[in-house]
Amino acid sequence: MFQHVWIPPSYNLFEGNATPSLLGLNLYQPGMQLYGNIGPYDRNGEEWPAYCERVELYLDANNITNEEQRRAVFLSTCGASTYQLIRSLVAPSKLTDKALDELYGIVKEHLAPAPSSIMQRYKFNARSQKEGESVAEFVAELRRIAQHC
């Protein structure tokens, strides 16, 4: 269990072998506030591109601009199964050798290969409004299908 501890800037925590993770500390500055929340990626509940968009929004909302930090936040919040998947897809390279956008793309290619445009056109042309479906819902579904046409 991590404890939140404020350590004065004058204190040199990193002398010797002491690191925040070995000490069980989550270092923060007083008044530092994070906005939002990213849960682990759930294959059954969300499409990969939508999850990547949420990660980007979280990083932007919290003004995390350093590429290494952005990658670290993503890898530490994506969940254990997704992390293992990314590690195996990137192997033999290290995760730290890849840019965040590269990691997004590698997983996207694995989880959601580009669908056949012929099949998607068929689905689009065959889709008709269902009974009880509003016009707005029908149009939204057509737009979703049309993304891959």
Side-chain angles (χ1 to χ4, degrees):
M1 185 77 165
F2 285 108
Q3 297 177 353
H4 292 280
V5 176
W6 183 77
I7 297 176
S10 61
Y11 182 76
N12 189 354
L13 176 68
F14 301 104
E15 285 184 7
N17 293 327
T19 64
S21 59
L22 289 176
L23 296 174
L25 303 175
N26 183 6
L27 302 180
Y28 73 99
Q29 296 295 322
M32 183 172 147
Q33 182 175 359
L34 294 178
Y35 301 101
N37 169 342
I38 312 172
Y41 174 63
D42 177 15
R43 269 182 139 165
N44 300 323
E46 186 172 22
E47 292 180 353
W48 180 252
Y51 182 76
C52 294
E53 287 174 14
R54 285 191 324 111
V55 169
E56 288 297 320
L57 289 170
Y58 177 83
L59 296 171
D60 291 344
N62 290 293
N63 200 27
I64 302 170
T65 57
N66 178 288
E67 179 65 25
E68 292 172 354
Q69 288 178 331
R70 293 172 73 85
R71 182 182 55 234
V73 168
F74 165 68
L75 291 172
S76 63
T77 58
C78 66
S81 62
T82 304
Y83 180 81
Q84 288 300 324
L85 173 67
I86 296 169
R87 280 187 69 206
S88 62
L89 292 173
V90 170
S93 299
K94 293 182 180 180
L95 293 172
T96 55
D97 295 340
K98 303 288 184 185
L100 182 56
D101 288 337
E102 261 185 287
L103 295 175
Y104 288 159
I106 290 168
V107 176
K108 181 181 178 183
E109 287 177 25
H110 177 75
L111 293 179
S116 163
S117 61
I118 294 170
M119 185 62 174
Q120 293 304 314
R121 285 185 196 131
Y122 169 77
K123 286 181 182 179
F124 180 83
N125 291 324
R127 180 66 161 88
S128 60
Q129 189 173 1
K130 297 176 182 173
E131 190 175 323
E133 183 178 39
S134 72
V135 173
E137 292 170 334
F138 176 61
V139 170
E141 182 62 17
L142 285 176
R143 287 183 177 156
R144 187 189 68 77
I145 295 170
Q147 288 178 351
H148 302 290
C149 287

